[in-house]
Amino acid sequence: MFMPLSRRIDQLNDKIAGLVSWALLLAVVICTGNALIRYAFNSSSNAWLEIQWYLFAAIFMLASSHTLRRDEHVRIDVIAGRFSKRTQVWIDLFGFLLFLMPICLVILYYGVPFALLSITSAEMSSNAGGLIVWPAKLLVPLGFALLILQGVSEIIKRVAFLAGKIDGHEFAKHATTPEEEIEAIKAANQLQ
């Protein structure tokens, strides 16, 4: 019943991850250009440096939900890996409900006013030639809202697995070889 919602959330985060991959390319190009100009012409721009920081922040904040979807966040499998799949799913469910969701909700609760204050005050960087700050601050509630959505999707999948509705491949997206990673990237790019 809730699996279609879970799939829609997964698709949303896959599409956002595809867009974020372009932000990574743009950040690398800007970073390279900044370095070349700084060393070749002994010149620099705070605005270009801040654009790099904003892009890196966007990459981190907006891709964390996709990372959760692919089960690639750092975790300690030394102990959990010894348990059955069912016990591992219970551990995941416990972690999502008692740690991920409450922390994300608290950060979202404080992050929204944090971003809104920056937007309404038209906050600017204190650096000479700096940029407006609110786009970077808006990434905090946006990123955690996406993480909450993906957490809901992962909870739905774990409950469905425990109820015998799915076999577990829905949330076992972690690629283990470079070839599988290449195929996963190709599949994500086809969703765009």
Side-chain angles (χ1 to χ4, degrees):
M1 177 175 163
F2 290 105
M3 285 304 294
L5 172 63
S6 174
R7 287 187 190 100
R8 282 193 298 274
I9 292 170
D10 291 350
Q11 288 171 349
L12 171 68
N13 280 318
D14 286 345
K15 286 180 182 179
I16 290 171
L19 293 173
V20 167
S21 67
W22 288 105
L24 178 59
L25 176 62
L26 185 58
V28 168
V29 168
I30 290 171
C31 184
T32 303
N34 278 341
L36 292 173
I37 290 170
R38 187 171 52 249
Y39 290 112
F41 302 107
N42 198 23
S43 177
S44 186
S45 164
N46 285 334
W48 285 108
L49 290 172
E50 288 184 10
I51 287 173
Q52 281 177 224
W53 300 336
Y54 288 11
L55 287 169
F56 288 130
I59 293 162
F60 179 79
M61 293 304 300
L62 301 179
S64 62
S65 55
H66 183 69
T67 305
L68 178 63
R69 171 179 156 33
R70 292 180 44 84
D71 195 26
E72 292 182 344
H73 278 282
V74 175
R75 57 192 297 161
I76 302 173
D77 284 337
V78 174
I79 297 171
R82 297 176 188 211
F83 296 125
S84 69
K85 180 70 172 174
R86 190 167 184 79
T87 302
Q88 290 176 15
V89 168
W90 274 110
I91 291 169
D92 283 349
L93 197 55
F94 174 80
F96 292 146
L97 292 171
L98 293 177
F99 298 105
L100 177 74
M101 298 305 275
I103 293 298
C104 287
L105 287 168
V106 167
I107 293 172
L108 186 64
Y109 177 80
Y110 287 105
V112 169
F114 175 72
L116 289 176
L117 179 63
S118 183
I119 292 168
T120 58
S121 68
E123 185 178 2
M124 295 291 296
S125 171
S126 60
N127 295 321
L131 304 174
I132 54 174
V133 175
W134 68 262
K137 289 189 175 182
L138 186 60
L139 289 169
V140 173
L142 184 58
F144 279 94
L146 291 171
L147 198 54
I148 289 168
L149 281 175
Q150 192 60 48
V152 168
S153 175
E154 297 305 313
I155 290 168
I156 290 169
K157 289 182 266 193
R158 286 353 184 249
V159 169
F161 173 81
L162 292 171
K165 305 287 185 192
I166 62 173
D167 63 7
H169 76 279
E170 297 270 348
F171 54 85
K173 301 289 184 192
H174 183 71
T176 56
T177 66
E179 292 80 16
E180 289 174 336
E181 186 65 28
I182 290 168
E183 290 304 315
I185 292 169
K186 286 179 185 176
N189 287 332
Q190 288 176 351
L191 290 174
Q192 296 178 13

